[in-house]
Amino acid sequence: MNLKNKTVLITGASSGIGKACAEAFAKRGANVVLASRQYVALCQITEQLEKDYNVKALAVACDVAKEADCENVVKQTLQTFGRLDVLVNNAGISMRALVSEVSIETLKNVMDINFWGTVYCTKFALDHIFKNKGTIVGVSSIAGYRGLPGRSGYSASKYAVNGWLEALRTELLESGTNVMWV
């Protein structure tokens, strides 16, 4: 895929996989929108990407567990770049606790970020990505295929992401819009 002048939105982009994706997309000529709760880190990364790769980069504070934040990041992407071609749903958290010891609040928080964050961002971006025959990506885990001890909430959230994106992929199969999870 030629990424020159394409726009890529990456959640959880202030570190780790998200930051590495931002650099990889910028290196290939894409304009990037970096979203995370760590706004200062995002600003530093966007500045570096613009300098190193001569692309446009936008930092947007976003907590993917909040539907309004997800709507806002898509709106800001469109206001700045006029298009959205790729969404990388990378934002996520983990947890470690036995089922008998984990709180409902912790389980809810993991689902809100990992699953609902993916749903919210995808729903707000879908029409724009569909129009451009773009790509929606979900970052998953082996825990999304095997329930791991001590990782019940994390496994459940990644199973949910995988199933939801697989259903969406099937619905869009003939449209030219790509849906994948990695």
Side-chain angles (χ1 to χ4, degrees), residues 51-156:
K51 183 176 134 187
D52 291 349
Y53 302 109
N54 196 32
V55 297
K56 294 178 185 170
L58 174 67
V60 180
C62 177
D63 179 347
V64 297
K66 297 177 181 174
E67 185 177 350
D69 280 13
C70 296
E71 182 176 24
N72 179 57
V73 74
V74 171
K75 281 183 179 177
Q76 286 197 36
T77 298
L78 296 169
Q79 286 174 350
T80 303
F81 296 108
R83 64 181 299 131
L84 179 53
D85 300 283
V86 178
L87 169 64
V88 179
N89 289 294
N90 172 66
I93 61 169
S94 189
M95 55 79 57
R96 292 181 198 272
L98 298 175
V99 171
S100 61
E101 298 171 357
V102 70
S103 70
I104 295 295
E105 182 180 338
T106 296
L107 294 172
K108 185 177 180 331
N109 191 41
V110 171
M111 287 299 291
D112 284 348
I113 293 170
N114 295 359
F115 175 66
W116 285 109
T118 296
V119 171
Y120 296 150
C121 288
T122 300
K123 282 290 288 175
F124 290 116
L126 186 59
D127 289 344
H128 309 285
I129 292 173
F130 181 84
K131 180 177 73 174
N132 296 326
K133 296 184 187 288
T135 301
I136 298 165
V137 181
V139 175
S140 187
S141 167
I142 191 67
Y145 295 95
R146 288 278 173 240
L148 302 177
R151 307 291 293 276
S152 59
Y154 181 73
S155 290

Side-chain angles (χ1 to χ4, degrees), residues 17-38:
I17 293 169
K19 182 179 175 185
C21 286
E23 186 170 322
F25 281 111
K27 192 180 287 189
R28 295 188 61 200
N31 296 316
V32 292
V33 178
L34 309 184
S36 108
R37 296 177 291 186
Q38 308 302 320

